[in-house]
Amino acid sequence: MSYQQRAVYVMNLFLEEYSVKELTGYAAQAYGPEKFRAEQVVPVRKVDGNTYALELWHGPTCAFKDLALQMLPHLLSGALDKTEETRDACILVATSGDTGKGALEGFRDVPRTRILVFYPKDGVAAMQELQMRTQEGANVGVCAVEGNFDDAQTGVKRMFSDPGLAAKLGERGYFFSSANSINWGRVLPQIVYYVSAYCDLVKAGEIVNGDPVNVCVPTGNFGNILAAYYAKQMGVPLGRLICASNRNDVLTDFLTTGTYDRDRPFHTTISPSMDILISSNLERLLFSLTGSDDAQVAGYMAQLRETGRYTVSEAVKSRIDRNFAAGSCDDGRTLEEIGRVWREKGYLLDPHTAVAFRVLEDYRTATGDETPALVASTASPFKFCDSVLTALGVTEQASGTDILDQLAQVTGEPVPPPLAALKDKPIRFSQTSDRDHLADRVLEFLG
Ligand SMILES: *Cc1c(COP(=O)(O)O)cnc(C)c1O
């Protein structure tokens, strides 16, 4: 099967209300050649004898969130028709990183949806800001918020719970919705690529059907690795699920000790999409590991809110031990790993993927487990040119979009077309708002 067919096959097992014909249409639009540069959509690349990179960054924004955010809007738009909802969806997003651009590209020109993204004026990387401000599409809007990510997020959260604003939206024929990573419409499309990658390994003769394959995932909100866990539950012969963290290692501690303790310093790192203290999708794992005991999970979550920590039962801990391993890697070792893998294997890693490569290496050294492993490769290295050039020992770095060409020259790797195209794209959005007036921006946007 093609990737699109695999997506329909897997999603159809869950989405009884959608016909195969509908899902086929969505998959063609979400994962077709206009959106994904690689024909296989998610190519599996052999890096050495037993290590494979699952390249999740061949989509329009060059990061793995495209796999989910290209599909979610079609599921949502279809659901509006199926539920006979007469209003259209107005998606609000507060972002400090890849999610904003991913959501804009995903919802761009999807019927019955409008999307407005707020980003902190002082809190996104230059390349990410440029990606958002040049966004195309008739139903999109982008606005900077004065302040940091918390200011943007607080402003957006307030709007979601403002009944007066909801009424004004209703008069205009809209209701609010979100696109955050706990949305099932984001988790489900991510299961597909673990099924697909296993099929590809069998088809290429790298493994025999039934052989175990370990998976190592650079983790933030626990969405990507949760999808691997679900694929395993569904019968894909996955072995150890290795959760890789940067210096924000709350998940490493949790998976190794059974105690989740968010009371720790927050570190800003060179793998910003993993800078997180509370991983919202972890609650879903707990639900599964407790045998769907929602009272027990609610108890853990209440403890987390009230005391900042919880410890899972021994039964839950032993299920964690049977499925997971975990490790962390700071910025220094991340840069080392980018340099090492480039020199020794000729494969270029972005900082997030490098965290996973190093944690896999640590795991193999500590356990002697040399089972073939898939490493989720979550972003193109060209999204993080400065860190990657630093890792390769280049200290004099070009500015603006010129740094893309510099990394291409140093490595001989091509600049991904969507990033190369940024140079010539006109800026479409230049508005800045203070966080107390975001509702005015929404109403102006909807007109
Ligand atoms: C979002 C993101 C992650 C973390 O994924 P989760 O599903 O939140 O665990 C890792 N790497 C990159 C590049 C990302 O954009």
Side-chain angles (χ1 to χ4, degrees), residues 63-65 98 218-224 273-274 350 352 378-379 384:
F64 100 96
K65 294 192 173 57
D98 287 335
T219 298
N221 242 327
F222 211 78
N224 199 354
S273 297
M274 300 155 72
D350 96 284
H352 301 78
T378 51
F384 303 93

Side-chain angles (χ1 to χ4, degrees), residues 28 39 167 188 298 339:
E39 197 197 325
L188 176 55

Side-chain angles (χ1 to χ4, degrees), residues 62-65 97-99 128 181 186 190 193 217-226 251 271-274 276 279 281 350 352-353 376-380 383-384:
C62 306
F64 100 96
K65 294 192 173 57
D98 287 335
T99 306
Q128 289 173 329
S181 72
R186 279 186 62 177
Q190 299 183 153
Y193 50 75
V217 184
T219 298
N221 242 327
F222 211 78
N224 199 354
I225 195 168
L226 180 74
L251 286 167
S271 45
S273 297
M274 300 155 72
I276 229 158
S279 294
N281 265 309
D350 96 284
H352 301 78
T353 310
S377 176
T378 51
S380 159
K383 287 200 90 164
F384 303 93

Side-chain angles (χ1 to χ4, degrees), residues 6-273:
R6 290 170 183 173
V8 173
Y9 183 87
V10 173
M11 296 203 310
N12 186 47
L13 298 170
F14 292 85
L15 300 176
E16 290 163 6
E17 300 90 342
Y18 294 79
S19 68
V20 167
K21 186 160 171 264
E22 284 170 320
L23 294 176
T24 303
Y26 303 161
Q29 290 178 72
Y31 304 131
E34 273 134 61
K35 303 288 189 172
F36 280 78
R37 302 177 292 288
E39 197 197 325
Q40 311 94 308
V41 182
V42 178
V44 177
R45 173 97 175 240
K46 187 167 184 167
V47 179
D48 64 28
N50 58 355
T51 312
Y52 305 86
L54 178 61
E55 292 187 345
L56 299 166
W57 41 263
H58 294 280
T61 77
C62 306
F64 100 96
K65 294 192 173 57
D66 287 333
L67 272 304
L69 285 166
Q70 284 296 320
M71 178 54 71
L72 169 71
H74 299 292
L75 295 173
L76 175 66
S77 165
L80 294 178
D81 294 338
K82 287 175 196 303
T83 57
E84 298 180 12
E85 172 62 61
T86 53
R87 299 166 300 170
D88 288 352
C90 172
I91 312 292
L92 294 186
V93 178
T95 183
S96 60
D98 287 335
T99 306
K101 178 65 181 178
L104 286 163
E105 275 298 329
F107 280 96
R108 153 184 186 181
D109 295 325
V110 170
R112 304 198 55 191
T113 68
R114 307 282 308 266
I115 175 164
L116 183 54
V117 170
F118 294 99
Y119 69 89
K121 200 159 175 251
D122 318 320
V124 292
M127 195 79 74
Q128 289 173 329
E129 181 174 21
L130 189 62
Q131 277 187 303
M132 290 192 277
R133 291 183 60 197
T134 54
Q135 177 65 44
E136 291 159 284
N139 63 339
V140 305
V142 174
C143 179
V145 181
E146 280 159 20
N148 59 26
F149 176 60
D150 260 351
D151 293 304
Q153 185 165 49
T154 307
V156 167
K157 278 194 176 158
R158 214 185 280 152
M159 289 194 282
F160 275 120
S161 53
D162 176 348
L165 183 59
K168 283 185 197 156
L169 242 67
E171 286 162 20
R172 290 166 168 79
Y174 290 96
F175 70 97
F176 278 140
S177 187
S178 86
N180 64 28
S181 72
I182 59 169
N183 193 314
W184 176 247
R186 279 186 62 177
V187 179
L188 176 55
Q190 299 183 153
I191 297 174
V192 176
Y193 50 75
Y194 289 105
V195 180
S196 176
Y198 191 89
C199 295
D200 285 341
L201 288 174
V202 172
K203 193 172 163 192
E206 297 290 333
I207 56 169
V208 173
N209 192 11
D211 287 353
V213 172
N214 290 343
V215 173
C216 185
V217 184
T219 298
N221 242 327
F222 211 78
N224 199 354
I225 195 168
L226 180 74
Y229 171 79
Y230 286 144
K232 183 175 176 179
Q233 296 293 299
M234 290 168 69
V236 181
L238 301 179
R240 196 59 59 185
L241 308 176
I242 304 161
C243 174
S245 305
N246 62 25
R247 200 172 160 211
N248 295 294
D249 55 0
V250 65
L251 286 167
T252 307
D253 285 354
F254 170 66
L255 294 170
T256 48
T257 67
T259 296
Y260 197 98
D261 184 355
R262 71 147 192 241
D263 183 19
R264 60 183 68 215
F266 177 83
H267 302 288
T268 305
T269 72
I270 58 170
S271 45
S273 297

